[in-house]
Amino acid sequence: MTAPDSVPTLSRRKLLGGVSAGLAAGSAGCLQYARSLANRESPEQVSVTIKTVPADDDEAAVQIARTLQKNMTAVGIDADIELVEITRLFRDVLLNQAFDVYVGQFPPYHDPDFLRSALHSTFVTEQGWQNPFGVSDLGLDEQLTAQRTTAGADRQRTVADVANSVAEIQPFATVCFPEEITVARTDRFGNWDGGRFAKPISYLTLDQAESGPDDATTLGLVLTDDRITKNLNPIAVEYRRPNPLTDLLYDPLMRREDGDVRPWLAGDVTWRRTEATGVTATVELREETSFHDGEALTAADVVFTYRFLDDTSLGTGDMHVPSPTFRGRTSLVESIERLDDRTVQIGFGETTEEVAVRALTVPILPAHVWEAKTGSANLAGIDISEGVTQALVWANTDPVGSGPFRLESRTPAERLVLSRFDDHPLIGTGPEQFDVPFERIAVQVAPSDGAAASLVTEGTVDATGDPVHPKVLENVTGEEPIERFVADSRAFYHVGFNARREPFGNVRFRQALARLLDSEHVAETVFDGYAAPAATPLAGTSWEPPEFRWDGTDPVVPFAGTDGDLDAPTARATFREAGYAYDSDEGRLLK
């Protein structure tokens, strides 16, 4: 344990060595570690399946998986890659925990509090991005809770503690933060906000190009991910990736804009803190807010949303079934009360306003639509774990939200059209409103990043609606009216380990696996330099501890080699140090 008033240093943690590593494994890790030692003479080879998506869905993830497989094989592990459709990958990892190792991107975040839901042992039995790794460590739990209740320099120190613990425990190996590359035309619409299309506000702030046609009423986008044409459920975790188009259908009370949080459905938010009640927020809705079907949006819908996201069965079943999506944010809410038709009071208890405001960014759902989705889910032919309600797997193909756009039409796997919702309180020409220059957004699906970019350059659409691979830039000149945008991303690539399964419960085994990847080499070769290697998921933010700033190597789990080439004898030594043995004949790593 670290002294309560000190920031743990890497040197001190390295000095603790095996002691801290053993403790970090937690109860599940200790059990698996003991089993590994007990079976070290077993002739059975360590076997690992790496799950990821096909190259058409994410070429970078496949390349990372292949590099990991090659290096696992070099150290005597029987490693296979299983390519699965993206929806199934999320279902296997986030709903059923049916994986050994997976490669993918973690959803983008805006505050280090995301690590609490991702790693706290309280969430180990839940679904979604709530501790899918199955790690359990009491020391980390304490740090994750403490960072919610402190502010300023105290919180900075506590978050540094968290970063150090995560680096040692290695529930996942942080690889890199890719830059998001998008391609757009400027001859019809302008003010593309540097290509930061992951924010719904970026679409609302577009304007008519000065030299463009006056009758440009449709914004054309192209996506390579067709899930939004099949499923428009904002809380279906296996169908959701960061996509601002879904956010345009559903409104939160407050929305993030350029790092700040601005009132959205909320016309006014008043914060208060007392010793007796902790932090509370009184939220007053804007006047004349309504859903797309004409029903009024009231305080009752806000209260329903938070209670529903906390338990999508609303107490009708045998289990408490929280929504996996937004769980980290809704877990901040301790109480919610309707004061009148336009006002609610939300209690957060012992936390800070800085953290509590995250809870106000979840989508508000119409009670008259969602209250009928509390029953148990039963989808023929689809493996889903117990404790899943209809709300979590419903396709929601005719969505009813309150956002600035609503669904006009869709063709699964091909096309989606959204039309402007002119009754929205923030659509118009007023001082707080958005004067959106187009009446609809027409989205079509392309089979690859290259095909998507071609649709932009030939003038069929205005922009790529999701990032494309850097290799696409070879065929995109960037000459007017085509612009290429490169923006930072908070969605980092990582390798996730399932600590519920042997031998991944052994923290030293996870550390040894993490040393098989050269993050800097991956960033240069897989992403053509359009990525930043990272040793912590907090890299590139003000929360990143100085000792974790990338200087060519990971300070805790350095690559066992040079320039992407694995030094197999060195790597094998790390597995021996973790308590594993090799057979003398074939060099297989044994359980």
Side-chain angles (χ1 to χ4, degrees), residues 430-449:
E432 291 187 351
Q433 293 181 309
F434 296 94
D435 185 13
V436 181
F438 44 87
E439 297 175 3
R440 61 183 50 83
I441 301 174
V443 180
Q444 65 182 84
V445 177
S448 66
D449 288 356

Side-chain angles (χ1 to χ4, degrees), residues 6 28 41 51 114 141 145 232 237 256 294 307 309 335 338 384-385 405 418 474 559 583 588 590:
S6 64
E41 296 181 1
K51 286 189 176 182
F114 87 95
D141 285 353
T145 299
L232 288 159
V237 68
R256 289 197 175 272
R307 290 178 178 169
L309 294 180
S335 65
R338 172 188 172 276
I384 55 176
S385 60
F405 281 81
L418 308 180
E474 298 174 2
F559 174 59
D583 63 13
R588 300 180 306 164
L590 304 177

